[in-house]
Amino acid sequence: MYSSELIKGTLKTIILKLLSDSDEMYGYELTQRVKELTGGKIQLTEGALYPTLHALEAQGVLSTNVVNVGNRIRKYYSITPTGKQLANDKVNEYADFIHTMTFLLGLKPNMG
Amino acid sequence: MYSSELIKGTLKTIILKLLSDSDEMYGYELTQRVKELTGGKIQLTEGALYPTLHALEAQGVLSTNVVNVGNRIRKYYSITPTGKQLANDKVNEYADFIHTMTFLLGLKPNMG
DNA sequence: ATATATACCTAAGAAAATTATGTATATAAA
DNA sequence: TTTATATACATAATTTTCTTAGGTATATAT
């Protein structure tokens, strides 16, 4: 796990990117997918995730589809056309930012 | 300029890295150096910078040296041995984080 | 029975930033 | 000469974003 301050500001970008590459995903699924893809290094907390999903929906970049699975509720989120554009912009901006930080911190362009 | 949320959580790392590579720097100098190195893409705001410098000093990772330049005050910061270690840790953690985010967002390992 | 996993949610508080404001000197431009 | 910009420090109110903690409920494994 990274120190919490590092992850700040990346939540929306992560959500939008994953939903951009998938037909639809529900909240809990997003937490599991991120955990899996990052080997547990990034773990989305529910207290941050759900309010952000609600905000993105209110903003019109996500739409929802509530489904009953057995007796449990599951709320699927899918990205809207506006959202897809925003996802692209955010990912591109982040790529640029990474490039800038890599230079500023004197890191090798492709270490890892 | 990047959207403000992106830069969040990187301030301490940037300060520690620059002071790690320099004998001493003062606050205003840090803002100018970062602006210069990033082509204006990252601009440290004084409201964020000064409180953070004070906190890092209180934490023992920075030490200060106040100098009179003409009739103006200038407060030089230099990094302590503890600070040098912290700078290293933070930069390494950020390098790892960049690697993880690059994969998560599906970016090329070295685009730019 | 109990713990863990799934699955949603909100609210109080903390952390970290922005924005605004204040003080003061030096210098360049109008 | 007065006005704007640059230098140089600082704090305070507010906003944003996240953590921590709590709540509800079902399913499954121990």
Side-chain angles (χ1 to χ4, degrees):
Chain A
M1 272 286 285
Y2 299 112
S3 69
S4 69
E5 60 179 11
L6 264 195
I7 304 176
K8 294 199 175 185
T10 61
L11 182 56
K12 279 184 197 164
T13 307
I14 291 172
I15 292 172
L16 290 170
K17 168 63 180 173
L18 292 193
L19 284 172
S20 209
D21 290 347
S22 156
D23 194 44
E24 55 176 12
M25 293 180 86
Y26 53 99
Y28 186 78
E29 189 182 8
L30 281 164
T31 66
Q32 297 309 300
R33 189 111 187 79
V34 168
K35 189 177 169 184
E36 176 200 331
L37 287 170
T38 64
K41 283 179 177 179
I42 297 179
Q43 267 163 268
L44 306 187
T45 60
E46 296 178 311
L49 177 64
Y50 289 116
T52 299
L53 286 171
H54 302 163
L56 290 173
E57 188 188 4
Q59 207 184 315
V61 300
L62 298 181
S63 64
T64 57
N65 179 27
V66 178
V67 171
N68 279 349
V69 178
N71 288 20
R72 277 211 228 95
I73 286 166
R74 196 180 279 175
K75 201 167 177 181
Y76 281 97
Y77 288 86
S78 54
I79 199 156
T80 65
T82 321
K84 208 133 192 170
Q85 182 58 56
L86 181 61
N88 247 291
D89 292 349
K90 284 220 161 263
V91 169
N92 287 336
E93 191 190 23
Y94 202 76
D96 190 315
F97 179 66
I98 281 179
H99 182 238
T100 299
M101 286 299 290
T102 296
F103 172 71
L104 188 58
L105 297 183
L107 309 174
K108 294 217 197 89
N110 59 343
M111 55 186 295
Chain B
M1 272 287 285
Y2 299 113
S3 70
S4 68
E5 59 180 10
L6 265 195
I7 304 175
K8 294 194 179 189
T10 61
L11 181 56
K12 280 184 198 165
T13 306
I14 292 172
I15 292 172
L16 290 170
K17 168 64 179 172
L18 292 194
L19 284 173
S20 209
D21 290 347
S22 157
D23 193 45
E24 54 175 13
M25 293 180 85
Y26 53 98
Y28 186 78
E29 189 182 7
L30 281 163
T31 68
Q32 297 310 297
R33 189 109 186 81
V34 168
K35 190 177 169 184
E36 177 199 332
L37 287 170
T38 65
K41 284 178 176 178
I42 297 179
Q43 268 163 268
L44 306 187
T45 58
E46 296 178 309
L49 177 64
Y50 289 115
T52 299
L53 286 172
H54 301 163
L56 290 173
E57 187 189 4
Q59 207 184 314
V61 299
L62 298 181
S63 64
T64 56
N65 178 27
V66 179
V67 172
N68 279 350
V69 178
N71 289 18
R72 277 211 227 93
I73 287 166
R74 194 180 280 175
K75 201 168 177 180
Y76 281 97
Y77 288 86
S78 53
I79 199 158
T80 65
T82 321
K84 208 134 191 171
Q85 182 57 58
L86 180 62
N88 246 290
D89 292 349
K90 285 219 160 264
V91 169
N92 287 336
E93 190 190 24
Y94 201 77
D96 189 316
F97 180 66
I98 281 179
H99 183 238
T100 298
M101 286 298 290
T102 296
F103 173 71
L104 188 58
L105 297 182
L107 309 174
K108 293 214 197 94
N110 58 343
M111 57 186 295

